[in-house]
């Protein structure tokens, strides 16, 4: 497969120095006084939401909330008001744009009120001791150092970069209005962005997300770099510093690209793709715009294939293939960026997928949009092709195989969500946002997942600490994989599938793996070949064929299935899984060889219950008299 492109070849230092515009020569937003392209419904919504906050106190961020993470692992108590502050500033900035150049007589007074609201928001964020999220602060992560962030040594994380780009867009969109109130505002804004974010990035080297030196190269790299690049373009005056920052960003993105599978897959899953592949595209789009060259980088195979990942992983009706920490229903997807990605890489089906995701929602501000993600809101607002795009159908590829991440997805028929969908994975147990799930699989009927991966609960300290694999949803016992001699799969890069091979044919799609390497030696496994197959035709079905060989007969051998519906017995070796609506899934196994028990897993965490309801079920198939060698076939068919 083709190797990753080198962005340093496309955007070398000499070209950056020669073509990078000076501060003020480039802007992503209309000039002051120009009419913004809001339609009347969106304009009214933007103005109404921002007006409702006027005069209200800004959410407080006391030290005790930040300290919650170090004290009891809670990160949401601080992040909720943190989010609310930025959402309020984002709404105020959009309202300022909506009022700027409006034709009604109330526009000047509205503009002045929203400009004061922006002034308050900018000042509030600049007054914060730290922009970092508690779960990421270097000092707090080292429990020996303390509970609170040190403003003299700022950590550069997703929160800090997100804040920097929001303030940078405030500079571009409202800078003149801020200057009219007090030029100190803009000077303070730019100084804080430099001191907290751009300066530490340029001058320090301990960022593991930059080069993989102390952390996996995942969505952090392109997400942060996309924010740093725009903040540089909008706030840094010194030409040498501007060029140095862009050069380092290009090198950082090359580290990320070199670590990506050549097939364009994303081992973090489709939820995180929107901050991995989509942010990578935003980096390239912005580099091309700033430098006025390099458009052909979008023809590179890896760049094009990365755009296709969301198409393959889409189940339908809001559901996605979900392995590891990714939720099964996407939250806050911003399809306008995927639309541009499809058009600029010459892939109309990618653009059609993005338009289909939008449906009948507001093209600029769908109901679940994050208001402080102003960059993407503006990207949608200022893209006339996106706003005018006609409705489109989901492309829904019939099947696909990603050898780099060892993920196969196949549906019963291309272009429709009707029927079966199988997703199966190999890989290893040290992937980004890893669960111990080598050999797991998912099955959906008519776009409803019924054999499932439950996903991840609310993020806490334990989620990314040493206690991670004490959380039930991370363990192989709650994934659709075997348990052998009482042993599940441990975490670690060495615990991996062997000999992965895919079959992609008109009548059958299948993934075959040897799972033995995913288990510890004390499990006694010599081989465990699993084939997960979708069989098309007159009797469509999913077949999971397991063939195992051990050094001696095991004391215990168990197959697990996690089920996202009500489960009822349907005879010996039979069960029916039913969703709240629509067709279900009929399961069949060898009752002579395996005894069955259905357990109820109560879901108390709202991150789970929002997705699956109050509970999911676990079907436990226990071998009655396991031998050192054996085979078993589980089948799953649609059931009316």
């Amino acid at each position: 497969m083709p190797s990753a492109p080198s962005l340093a070849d496309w955007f070398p230092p000499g070209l950056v120095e020669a073509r990078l515009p000076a501060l003020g020569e480039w802007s992503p937003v209309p000039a002051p006084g120009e009419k913004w392209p809001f339609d009347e419904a969106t304009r009214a919504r933007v103005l109404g939401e921002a007006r409702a906050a006027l005069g209200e106190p800004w959410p407080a961020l006391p030290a005790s909330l930040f300290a919650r993470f170090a004290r009891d692992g809670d990160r949401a108590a601080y992040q909720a008001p943190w989010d609310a502050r930025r959402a309020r500033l984002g709404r105020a900035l959009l309202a300022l744009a909506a009022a700027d150049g409006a034709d009604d007589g109330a526009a000047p007074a509205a503009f002045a009120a929203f400009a004061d609201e922006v002034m308050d928001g900018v000042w509030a964020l600049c007054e914060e001791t730290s922009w970092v999220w508690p779960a990421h602060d270097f000092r707090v992560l080292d429990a020996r150092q303390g509970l609170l962030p040190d403003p003299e040594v700022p950590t550069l994380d997703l929160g800090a970069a997100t804040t920097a780009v929001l303030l940078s867009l405030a500079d571009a969109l409202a800078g003149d209005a801020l200057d009219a109130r007090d030029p100190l505002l803009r000077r303070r804004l730019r100084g804080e962005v430099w001191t907290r974010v751009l300066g530490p990035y340029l001058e320090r080297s301990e960022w593991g997300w930059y080069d993989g030196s102390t952390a996996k190269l995942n969505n952090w790299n392109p997400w942060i770099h996309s924010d740093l690049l725009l903040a540089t373009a909008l706030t840094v005056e010194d030409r040498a510093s501007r060029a140095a920052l862009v050069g380092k960003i290009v090198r950082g993105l090359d580290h990320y690209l070199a670590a990506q599978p050549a097939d364009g897959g994303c081992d973090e899953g489709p939820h995180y793709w929107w901050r991995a592949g989509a942010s990578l595209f935003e980096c390239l789009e912005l580099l091309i715009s700033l430098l006025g060259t390099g458009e052909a980088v979008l023809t590179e195979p890896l760049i094009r294939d990365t755009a296709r990942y969301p198409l393959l992983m889409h189940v339908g009706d809001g559901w996605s293939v979900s392995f590891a920490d990714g939720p099964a229903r996407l939250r806050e997807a911003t399809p306008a960026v995927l639309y541009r990605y499809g058009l600029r890489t010459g892939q109309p089906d990618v653009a059609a997928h993005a338009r289909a995701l939008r449906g009948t929602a507001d093209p600029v501000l769908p109901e679940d949009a994050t208001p402080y993600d102003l960059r993407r809101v503006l990207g949608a607002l200022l893209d006339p092709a996106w706003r005018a795009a006609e409705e489109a159908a989901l492309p829904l590829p019939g099947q696909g195989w990603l050898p780099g991440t060892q993920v196969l997805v196949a549906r019963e028929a291309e272009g429709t969500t009707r029927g079966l969908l199988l997703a199966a994975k190999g890989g290893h147990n040290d992937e980004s946002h890893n669960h111990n799930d080598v050999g797991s699989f998912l099955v959906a009927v008519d776009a409803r997942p019924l054999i499932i991966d439950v996903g991840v609960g609310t993020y806490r300290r334990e989620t990314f600490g040493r206690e991670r694999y004490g959380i039930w949803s991370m363990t192989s016992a709650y994934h659709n994989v075997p348990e052998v001699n009482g042993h599940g799969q441990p975490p670690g890069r060495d615990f991996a599938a062997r000999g992965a091979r895919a079959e992609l044919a008109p009548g059958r799609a299948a993934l075959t793996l040897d799972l033995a390497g995913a288990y510890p030696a004390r499990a006694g496994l010599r081989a465990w070949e699993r084939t997960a197959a979708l069989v098309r035709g007159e009797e469509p079905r999913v077949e999971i064929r397991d063939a195992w060989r051990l050094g001696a007969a095991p004391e215990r051998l168990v197959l697990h299935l996690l089920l996202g519906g009500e489960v009822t017995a349907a005879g010996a070796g039979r069960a029916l899984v039913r969703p709240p609506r629509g067709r279900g899934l009929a399961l069949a196994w060898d009752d002579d060889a395996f005894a069955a028990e259905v357990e109820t897993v109560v879901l108390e965490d709202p991150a789970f219950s929002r997705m699956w309801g109050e509970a999911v079920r676990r079907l436990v198939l226990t071998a009655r008299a396991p031998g050192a060698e054996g085979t078993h076939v589980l089948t799953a068919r649609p059931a009316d």
Side-chain angles (χ1 to χ4, degrees):
M1 299 189 75
S3 60
S6 168
L7 298 186
D9 290 342
W10 284 96
F11 307 105
L15 182 144
V16 170
E17 292 172 6
R19 301 185 69 104
L20 187 64
L23 182 63
E25 293 180 353
W26 176 94
S27 177
V29 300
E34 289 187 15
K35 191 175 178 68
W36 286 67
F38 289 98
D39 64 37
E40 288 311 308
T42 305
R43 183 189 299 275
R45 179 181 163 198
V46 164
L47 293 173
E49 290 180 353
R51 191 175 289 116
L54 294 177
E56 294 294 322
W58 285 73
L61 288 175
S64 57
L65 282 187
F66 197 101
R68 283 284 303 274
F69 179 77
R71 285 173 167 164
D72 63 19
D74 186 304
R75 54 191 286 176
Y78 183 86
Q79 284 184 213
W82 186 100
D83 285 347
R85 281 176 164 230
R86 285 147 181 82
R88 182 168 169 178
L89 177 56
R91 290 189 187 100
L93 286 163
L94 283 174
L96 192 71
D100 189 14
D103 296 330
D104 58 272
F111 184 89
F114 293 132
D116 278 355
E117 177 82 343
V118 169
M119 176 176 68
D120 287 345
V122 167
W123 197 256
L125 267 58
C126 288
E127 286 289 286
E128 292 175 4
T129 295
S130 173
W131 295 340
V132 69
W133 290 338
H136 301 157
D137 185 82
F138 284 169
R139 184 171 186 268
V140 175
L141 287 173
D142 185 345
R144 298 166 298 180
Q145 294 194 38
L147 303 174
L148 302 170
D150 183 352
E152 299 299 320
V153 189
T155 299
L156 175 47
D157 77 325
L158 302 175
T162 296
T163 304
V165 84
L166 177 60
L167 288 173
S168 298
L169 285 167
D171 187 308
L173 197 155
D176 288 349
L178 294 176
D179 280 346
R181 280 147 180 79
D182 190 330
L184 173 66
L185 284 161
R186 211 174 195 179
R187 190 166 73 249
R188 173 92 188 271
L189 180 160
R190 292 179 180 179
E192 297 291 352
V193 169
W194 178 265
T195 300
R196 299 170 188 247
V197 174
L198 296 178
Y201 173 78
L202 189 60
E203 297 159 5
R204 290 160 55 189
S205 59
E206 69 265 41
W207 316 119
W209 51 261
Y210 175 83
D211 57 7
S213 56
T214 59
K216 295 183 182 69
L217 286 170
N218 59 16
N219 69 88
W220 279 50
N221 181 294
W223 185 353
I224 292 176
H225 279 133
S226 67
D227 289 344
L228 297 180
L229 187 59
L230 188 52
T232 297
L234 295 179
T235 66
V236 178
E237 185 172 1
D238 180 73
R239 291 192 65 90
S241 297
R242 285 170 70 83
L245 281 161
V246 173
K248 186 170 182 178
I249 289 167
V250 167
R251 295 191 299 275
L253 290 169
D254 271 341
H255 287 304
Y256 175 76
L257 286 170
Q260 298 313 294
D263 52 36
C266 177
D267 72 352
E268 300 175 89
H271 172 72
Y272 288 97
W273 182 91
W274 292 91
R275 292 300 181 183
S279 292
L280 172 66
F281 167 70
E282 286 174 314
C283 289
L284 299 177
E285 183 182 45
L286 183 50
L287 283 168
I288 292 165
S289 179
L290 284 171
L291 303 177
T293 188
E295 180 80 18
V297 72
L298 299 175
T299 67
E300 291 276 3
L302 176 58
I303 305 303
R304 287 173 51 83
D305 289 345
T306 297
R308 306 195 64 78
Y309 179 78
L311 280 65
L312 180 63
M313 304 300 281
H314 189 79
V315 174
D317 193 27
W319 296 94
S320 286
V321 172
S322 58
F323 295 119
D325 277 358
R329 294 185 75 85
L330 294 183
R331 300 189 302 268
E332 298 177 359
T334 47
V337 66
L338 180 63
Y339 184 81
R340 298 197 309 274
Y341 200 166
L343 292 184
R344 298 197 69 169
T345 55
Q347 300 181 95
D349 56 341
V350 173
H353 182 87
R355 180 59 185 86
L357 289 180
R358 171 178 136 193
T360 58
D362 186 323
V364 176
L365 276 176
E367 290 298 326
D368 61 351
T370 302
Y372 69 78
D373 190 4
L374 194 59
R375 179 211 200 106
R376 291 191 173 176
V377 172
L378 293 175
L381 174 64
L382 300 174
D383 183 354
W386 168 248
R387 298 196 316 274
E390 296 182 356
E391 289 192 45
L394 290 163
L396 301 173
Q399 56 193 14
W401 164 238
L402 300 173
T405 48
Q406 297 183 356
V407 170
L408 176 138
V409 181
R411 62 178 71 245
E412 191 175 324
E414 181 177 354
T416 178
T417 59
R418 177 75 177 173
L420 289 165
L421 178 139
L422 167 69
K425 75 177 295 289
H428 58 82
N429 281 335
D430 192 33
E431 297 164 345
S432 286
H433 297 275
N434 179 71
H435 290 197
N436 295 334
D437 61 354
V438 172
S440 195
F441 62 95
L442 316 174
V443 179
V445 177
D446 301 340
R448 169 70 194 210
L450 292 173
I451 301 178
I452 67 169
D453 186 315
V454 73
V456 67
T458 301
Y459 279 172
R460 296 179 54 84
R461 179 177 57 205
E462 297 82 4
T463 311
F464 297 103
R466 290 173 294 179
E467 307 95 332
R468 179 177 177 88
Y469 295 102
I471 300 171
W472 66 271
S473 59
M474 311 291 185
T475 66
S476 65
Y478 288 88
H479 289 82
N480 306 316
V481 298
E483 178 186 300
V484 184
N485 273 323
H487 297 290
Q489 299 179 9
R493 181 64 178 82
D494 292 339
F495 297 102
R498 302 167 180 163
R501 60 187 187 278
E503 174 188 349
L504 298 175
R508 172 183 160 95
L511 173 61
T512 299
L513 308 157
D514 181 0
L515 306 186
Y519 290 81
R522 57 187 179 276
L525 270 176
R526 292 183 176 174
W528 189 297
E529 184 177 85
R530 164 165 285 188
T531 298
L534 172 65
V535 181
R536 304 181 179 97
E538 293 184 2
E539 296 185 16
R541 62 197 181 275
V542 168
E543 294 180 348
I544 308 299
R545 184 185 187 279
D546 290 309
W548 59 87
R549 180 164 49 87
L550 291 86
E555 294 181 6
R556 179 176 167 83
L557 191 152
V558 178
L559 304 175
H560 291 134
L561 288 181
L562 205 62
L563 306 173
E566 293 293 334
V567 180
T568 56
R574 302 288 187 273
L576 186 62
V577 188
R578 283 212 172 275
R581 296 177 302 277
R583 292 197 297 172
L585 198 62
L587 304 178
W589 62 90
D590 184 350
D591 187 63
D592 292 334
F594 284 86
E597 180 182 2
V598 177
E599 301 173 350
T600 296
V601 182
V602 176
L603 303 177
E604 297 178 347
D605 188 324
F608 291 134
S609 57
R610 281 194 301 266
M611 201 79 55
W612 305 110
E614 296 180 355
V616 295
R617 273 71 187 179
R618 186 171 71 152
L619 178 62
V620 181
L621 301 179
T622 304
R624 298 182 188 274
E629 296 185 10
T631 61
H632 181 261
V633 177
L634 173 88
T635 62
R637 292 180 168 86
D640 292 321

